[in-house]
Amino acid sequence: MPVRQTETPRSHIFTVGLTGGIGSGKTTVAQGFAAHGIRIIDADEISHALTAPGGSAMPAIVTTFGTTMQQANGALDRVAMRRLVFSDPGARQRLEAILHPMIRSECVAQLERADSPYAMLVVPLLLESEAWRARCDRILVVDCPPELQVKRVMARSALTATEAHQIIAAQISRAQRLAAATEVIDNTGSLSALHTRIDALHQHYLLESAKPFSKS
Ligand code: ADP
């Protein structure tokens, strides 16, 4: 007689979803956990690879949007695409319909291969998607005031303050993000304060992931 399986399948690795607004410090935090040997699966990195020269999403993007969204080297023209999706919600939906399923299946494949005590899934839009939330055992939010986000984004990229504010306004609100968090990293302070917090959280997640039924 078949035995009903009640335990978490072995293929499920304890997964910490890391999210936060643009410029909040997700990449910096992920690097801190990676230094502890934690496997990081980064949806943005996967998205970049899919839209790089020869990327698997490029044929569908060219079919849908034409060659004007493609650079001479075959990669997605990110600046042109960002402008289009901000002015045309339908275009955003068409782009997401191409990219999101591809990103999701690559993330799942990487999680299945992860060999660390727990894994970290870095997804900027984690909280906007129930499928992503459901895949995560914990939700870690990196938080800092919007003024600091804008300042940090402008220091690292060619985005203007207006563009940075536009991106922040298009994302889930700070309050909603904080309400969904199981843990929060306040990244208002120094990098060394950030690393102290990361070290403590890593110890916490090691303990949590070792529990037999750690999904709450
Ligand atoms: P995100 O991945 O969320 O967009 P990043 O980790 O790339 O954010 O951080 C944005 C910028 O701010 C980067 O240049 C990063 O080095 C810098 N940064 C992050 N945290 C701090 C901090 N606590 N102090 C100073 N600079 C920081």
Side-chain angles (χ1 to χ4, degrees), residues 26-37:
K26 293 179 297 298
T27 310
T28 313
V29 167
Q31 283 164 355
F33 282 94
H36 285 290

Side-chain angles (χ1 to χ4, degrees), residues 21-28 152 156 187 189-191 194:
I22 183 170
S24 59
K26 293 179 297 298
T27 310
T28 313
R152 287 178 179 161
R156 84 150 181 221
N187 189 21
S190 67
L191 282 171
L194 179 64

Side-chain angles (χ1 to χ4, degrees), residues 96 98 121 199:
E96 289 179 350
I98 296 169
L121 189 57
D199 295 349

